[in-house]
Amino acid sequence: MQRIDATIAVTGMNATDNPAPGVAVVRSLRHERSFAGRVIGLGYDALDPGFYAEGLLDGGSTLPFPSAGRDALFAHLCKIRSVFGVDALLPTLDSELHAVSTLADELKAQGIRTFVPTVESLERSTKAHLHELASHEGIRVPDSQPIQTVDALPGLIRAYGLPIMVKGVYYGGIVAHSEADAIHAFHHFVATWGVPVVVQRYVAGEEYNVAAIGDGHGSMIGAVAMRKLMITDKGKGWSGVTVGNPHLLAMTEAVVAALRWRGPIEVEFLRERESGELYVVEINPRFPAWIHLSTGAGQNLPFACAMLALGGDVPRPLPAYRVGTMFVRISLDQICDLSRFEQLSATGMLHLTKETP
Amino acid sequence: MHDLSRLRDLAVSDSGFVFDPMTGYTFTVNPTGLLVLQSLKRGDPVESIAQRLADEFELDGGEDVHRDIDEFLARLREHGIVR
């Protein structure tokens, strides 16, 4: 077995009740026996829980907020490279993907490799463009339309019926049961995220999720499907189980091909209760927070992604996963020395192991 | 006629815990339900399932076993396991 000594930086160390995927990605890297490298956690707050997980990280750093722009991010990543000797970066948050994608060549020139989608793929995966995927064979999406003004709502309600889904362009969705509810939801999302607001035919059914990796040339390298067994009041999965529905994997493969997706992706599905048909309702350009389930089920997608970022090979396709593998998330209090918080607060850097590049 | 093809994929434990790998749903069945489910998975005809129920659960002959099996199949259909 090839020994991997690289240093990998992973973003998304926030792990509250709406957790980022970073901690799960790092756990998956640690799970791989051939991985003997170092992991540097990146987050946006000195109190991000992942920084305090025992045995998880070799170091860490807080990042400038995405609103600071790509130049600030690039400068900080170069600094992290010089401090920790980072060889690869695995971004795990939607808000980071655009900047990292545009910086990919510059980062590579600095010795930081990535495996992320192109800006064009990212744009085509957004809610505002999701309906365009329906023109591809093997992909079904609910009728939907991005709208700029509230005047467009009554016509869409007539076309799609009630209830109707009203979605923010970046985050959130509301099931509107009346025109008044839909108008209220429209204004809520305009005030929160701006336009467009996406209006979608409501599909009544069960939600399924697939995490996958695309190779950037239209092929899918691996994929794991699951159903959430318990969700929080924020709609986040708190437990789930892998499922073996081949139609979920086939439609994910079609999405990866249509977008020529490179890197991690999560495809959210609804299986319509009456017809049993699957619909793609959302695409997330990253691993989900439940991604460690893929590793537990025998298909370590985060490690495969790290290998691909480093320019290594992975088996194609990846080993099949075990259907019926469960995860149950847990909240626990971590005890640690104040010095961790001190380091991150005072310097923005966290050194947990002695080894330096 | 019932389409029982999906029954073959069900994971059924001896304790009566049932996992549907297509949907991720889990169920529990009692001992009589377990016997019926395992028999259906094997493709046994309803007549022989009714006879096995009568033999193994010492039925006194007053029960309408065929109706019970039909109701059980209806429940499986509700869950999309039998079509």
Side-chain angles (χ1 to χ4, degrees):
Chain A
M1 190 183 295
Q2 189 188 355
R3 186 181 141 101
I4 310 300
D5 286 319
T7 298
I8 297 170
V10 179
T11 71
M13 287 300 113
N14 180 23
T16 54
D17 61 342
N18 182 8
V23 169
V25 168
V26 179
R27 288 188 70 207
S28 291
L29 297 179
R30 295 285 189 213
H31 180 87
E32 199 67 30
R33 287 169 61 189
S34 62
F35 182 71
R38 306 173 75 224
V39 183
I40 309 302
L42 305 177
Y44 295 92
D45 193 301
L47 279 173
D48 278 355
F51 290 132
Y52 301 88
E54 203 57 49
L56 189 75
L57 302 174
D58 296 287
S61 175
T62 48
L63 290 170
F65 281 108
S67 57
R70 65 190 289 282
D71 292 345
L73 177 65
F74 180 66
H76 199 85
L77 290 173
C78 289
K79 184 179 173 189
I80 290 167
R81 160 86 182 161
S82 70
V83 172
F84 295 110
V86 168
D87 300 300
L89 168 69
L90 303 183
T92 69
L93 303 182
D94 302 42
S95 56
E96 299 164 341
L97 261 297
H98 190 275
V100 173
S101 182
T102 62
L103 285 169
D105 289 341
E106 292 160 78
L107 288 170
K108 189 177 177 186
Q110 297 296 320
I112 304 174
R113 304 177 74 135
T114 57
F115 196 68
V116 294
T118 63
V119 172
E120 187 203 346
S121 295
L122 279 171
E123 186 59 30
R124 291 177 62 209
S125 73
T126 59
K127 287 183 195 175
H129 291 278
L130 188 69
H131 62 288
E132 294 164 12
L133 283 176
S135 63
H136 292 266
E137 195 177 332
I139 303 174
R140 195 179 295 109
V141 297
D143 297 328
S144 65
Q145 197 160 322
I147 62 172
Q148 304 283 335
T149 65
V150 75
D151 306 349
L153 265 177
L156 289 173
I157 290 173
R158 276 196 298 278
Y160 300 160
L162 287 171
I164 200 167
M165 281 299 295
V166 182
K167 292 182 163 184
V169 68
Y170 293 120
Y171 188 78
I174 293 173
V175 181
H177 291 270
S178 67
E179 187 172 323
D181 284 350
I183 291 169
H184 184 264
F186 175 88
H187 289 301
H188 167 74
F189 286 123
V190 170
T192 311
W193 300 113
V195 290
V197 169
V198 178
V199 181
Q200 192 175 74
R201 184 174 75 81
Y202 177 72
V203 176
E206 308 115 37
E207 184 181 331
Y208 292 88
N209 303 72
V210 180
I213 300 177
D215 71 353
H217 303 290
S219 295
M220 189 165 79
I221 292 166
V224 174
M226 77 99 169
R227 186 173 76 83
K228 293 173 184 172
L229 296 176
M230 184 167 69
I231 57 170
T232 67
D233 56 356
K234 291 182 178 170
K236 305 299 164 188
W238 205 254
S239 69
V241 63
T242 53
V243 297
N245 184 341
H247 304 298
L248 286 168
L249 301 180
M251 206 177 289
T252 302
E253 196 162 18
V255 169
V256 166
L259 298 174
R260 299 185 74 78
W261 194 263
R262 185 174 191 264
I265 189 170
E266 181 192 24
V267 184
E268 296 184 4
F269 291 91
L270 278 171
R271 182 171 172 270
E272 193 168 42
R273 198 167 296 126
E274 284 204 358
S275 66
E277 300 281 11
L278 289 170
Y279 289 87
V280 174
V281 290
E282 197 158 318
I283 294 171
N284 296 314
R286 46 148 177 87
F287 285 128
W290 56 265
I291 193 60
H292 193 56
L293 176 66
S294 79
T295 305
Q299 194 179 103
N300 192 334
L301 292 172
F303 182 72
C305 187
M307 287 297 293
L308 292 162
L310 291 165
D313 290 326
V314 297
R316 294 193 186 204
L318 291 171
Y321 64 91
R322 286 184 296 279
V323 172
T325 305
M326 264 182 82
F327 83 91
V328 182
R329 202 163 278 164
I330 187 168
S331 295
L332 49 81
D333 301 340
Q334 302 180 129
I335 307 301
C336 58
D337 194 88
L338 189 62
S339 62
R340 288 199 191 198
F341 184 51
E342 175 196 341
Q343 282 190 63
L344 281 163
S345 302
T347 68
M349 296 284 175
L350 177 66
H351 296 270
L352 294 171
T353 55
K354 287 180 181 166
E355 191 183 341
T356 51
Chain B
M1 281 298 289
H2 304 288
D3 177 359
L4 304 176
S5 55
R6 279 203 55 218
L7 277 175
R8 281 195 288 273
D9 295 330
L10 292 184
V12 183
S13 76
D14 292 343
S15 67
F17 185 79
V18 183
F19 174 65
D20 181 353
M22 279 286 281
T23 64
Y25 279 96
T26 55
F27 312 89
T28 51
V29 290
N30 63 15
T32 51
L34 180 60
L35 186 149
V36 176
L37 194 57
Q38 286 174 329
S39 303
L40 289 170
K41 266 170 72 75
R42 280 195 302 269
D44 294 351
V46 170
E47 200 56 50
S48 100
I49 298 172
Q51 188 57 53
R52 276 197 66 201
L53 279 172
D55 293 345
E56 296 200 15
F57 293 93
E58 298 175 352
L59 305 182
D60 60 16
E63 301 85 354
D64 190 342
V65 179
H66 285 85
R67 191 197 65 194
D68 291 345
I69 294 172
D70 281 344
E71 282 181 4
F72 189 76
L73 280 163
R75 296 290 295 275
L76 293 176
R77 192 179 297 105
E78 279 173 31
H79 292 289
I81 295 167
V82 167
R83 284 168 287 185

